[in-house]
Amino acid sequence: MTGFSHASTGVLIALVLPKPLVAVPLALLSHFVLDSLPHWGSDSLHGGHRLFRRIIIADAILGFGIVFLMMFLLPQHWEIIALCGAAATIPDLMWLPNFLRETKNRQTKPHNLLMRLHIALQFERRWGIATEAVWLLLVIWLTWRIVV
Ligand SMILES: [Zn+2]
C-alpha cells in the first residue's frame, strides 16, 4: 500500500486511541494488515522507472504532509501523531536500499527473511488502486470528522 495510506491510517489510530502503548504497536500492526488487503502495485515497477520514482516521491510528500498537517492542526497530540505515522510506515523503509540501487542501475541485494515475509503478505493488483482509494477516503473522512 502507498506510504500515504499507511501514514494516514497511523494518524487516525493516534487520534482514536491516543495512548502510546496501545496506538504505536497498533499502527505498526496496521502496516501489515493493510499490505495484506488488495492495493495498487505491480512487480514490473521498480526504481529504474522514472514514473515509479515520481510516484514514490509524491507518495512520500503526501505521507509526510498528512502527518505534519495533523501535528499542526492538533498540537496537543503531536507526539503520538508523529509516532503512529512513523510506526505505520516504517516497515517499508526496508525497501529503500534496493530502491536506491535500482535508481542507479546497480545490482539489488537478495531479500532477507523479514523482506520475504513482508512480500508474502502483499496483495498487489493493478485494480487494487480502487480498494486502496476507498480505504484512503474512509480514513481521511474519519480523520476529518475527528478534527472538525
Ligand atoms: Zn509494506
mmCIF file of all heavy atoms in Angstrom, residues 6 31 35 92 95 118 122, ligand 1:
data_model
loop_
_atom_site.group_PDB
_atom_site.id
_atom_site.type_symbol
_atom_site.label_atom_id
_atom_site.label_comp_id
_atom_site.label_asym_id
_atom_site.label_seq_id
_atom_site.Cartn_x
_atom_site.Cartn_y
_atom_site.Cartn_z
ATOM 1 N N HIS A 6 -0.635 4.332 4.480
ATOM 2 C CA HIS A 6 -0.107 3.866 5.770
ATOM 3 C C HIS A 6 -0.033 5.017 6.773
ATOM 4 O O HIS A 6 -0.460 4.875 7.926
ATOM 5 C CB HIS A 6 1.287 3.259 5.584
ATOM 6 C CG HIS A 6 1.295 1.915 4.933
ATOM 7 N ND1 HIS A 6 0.599 0.835 5.426
ATOM 8 C CD2 HIS A 6 1.929 1.468 3.822
ATOM 9 C CE1 HIS A 6 0.810 -0.211 4.655
ATOM 10 N NE2 HIS A 6 1.606 0.142 3.659
ATOM 11 N N HIS A 31 0.265 -1.651 9.402
ATOM 12 C CA HIS A 31 1.031 -1.691 8.155
ATOM 13 C C HIS A 31 0.863 -3.061 7.472
ATOM 14 O O HIS A 31 0.576 -3.136 6.278
ATOM 15 C CB HIS A 31 2.511 -1.421 8.423
ATOM 16 C CG HIS A 31 3.300 -1.384 7.149
ATOM 17 N ND1 HIS A 31 3.609 -0.222 6.502
ATOM 18 C CD2 HIS A 31 3.786 -2.382 6.365
ATOM 19 C CE1 HIS A 31 4.260 -0.506 5.394
ATOM 20 N NE2 HIS A 31 4.385 -1.819 5.291
ATOM 21 N N ASP A 35 -1.136 -4.085 4.072
ATOM 22 C CA ASP A 35 -0.408 -4.715 2.965
ATOM 23 C C ASP A 35 -1.075 -6.011 2.512
ATOM 24 O O ASP A 35 -0.900 -6.428 1.373
ATOM 25 C CB ASP A 35 1.043 -5.000 3.363
ATOM 26 C CG ASP A 35 1.960 -3.810 3.125
ATOM 27 O OD1 ASP A 35 1.502 -2.788 2.567
ATOM 28 O OD2 ASP A 35 3.153 -3.910 3.487
ATOM 29 N N ASP A 92 8.207 -0.153 5.480
ATOM 30 C CA ASP A 92 8.561 -0.036 4.060
ATOM 31 C C ASP A 92 9.948 0.573 3.846
ATOM 32 O O ASP A 92 10.448 0.561 2.718
ATOM 33 C CB ASP A 92 7.507 0.758 3.284
ATOM 34 C CG ASP A 92 6.302 -0.096 2.934
ATOM 35 O OD1 ASP A 92 6.406 -1.345 3.014
ATOM 36 O OD2 ASP A 92 5.253 0.474 2.582
ATOM 37 N N TRP A 95 12.702 -1.399 2.040
ATOM 38 C CA TRP A 95 12.839 -1.447 0.576
ATOM 39 C C TRP A 95 13.758 -0.350 0.047
ATOM 40 O O TRP A 95 14.155 -0.376 -1.111
ATOM 41 C CB TRP A 95 11.468 -1.319 -0.101
ATOM 42 C CG TRP A 95 10.446 -2.233 0.461
ATOM 43 C CD1 TRP A 95 9.253 -1.885 1.024
ATOM 44 C CD2 TRP A 95 10.505 -3.666 0.535
ATOM 45 N NE1 TRP A 95 8.586 -3.002 1.442
ATOM 46 C CE2 TRP A 95 9.334 -4.107 1.155
ATOM 47 C CE3 TRP A 95 11.456 -4.604 0.139
ATOM 48 C CZ2 TRP A 95 9.074 -5.451 1.397
ATOM 49 C CZ3 TRP A 95 11.201 -5.943 0.374
ATOM 50 C CH2 TRP A 95 10.024 -6.351 0.997
ATOM 51 N N HIS A 118 7.442 -9.980 4.406
ATOM 52 C CA HIS A 118 6.731 -8.750 4.026
ATOM 53 C C HIS A 118 6.160 -8.892 2.614
ATOM 54 O O HIS A 118 5.003 -8.524 2.364
ATOM 55 C CB HIS A 118 7.705 -7.581 4.112
ATOM 56 C CG HIS A 118 7.088 -6.218 4.155
ATOM 57 N ND1 HIS A 118 7.764 -5.127 4.587
ATOM 58 C CD2 HIS A 118 5.867 -5.758 3.798
ATOM 59 C CE1 HIS A 118 6.992 -4.056 4.512
ATOM 60 N NE2 HIS A 118 5.833 -4.423 4.023
ATOM 61 N N GLN A 122 1.892 -9.250 0.740
ATOM 62 C CA GLN A 122 1.377 -8.290 -0.250
ATOM 63 C C GLN A 122 0.240 -8.870 -1.084
ATOM 64 O O GLN A 122 0.295 -10.014 -1.496
ATOM 65 C CB GLN A 122 2.491 -7.845 -1.204
ATOM 66 C CG GLN A 122 3.656 -7.180 -0.535
ATOM 67 C CD GLN A 122 3.297 -5.901 0.180
ATOM 68 O OE1 GLN A 122 2.554 -5.082 -0.345
ATOM 69 N NE2 GLN A 122 3.818 -5.731 1.373
HETATM 70 ZN ZN ZN B 1 4.750 -2.691 3.381
#
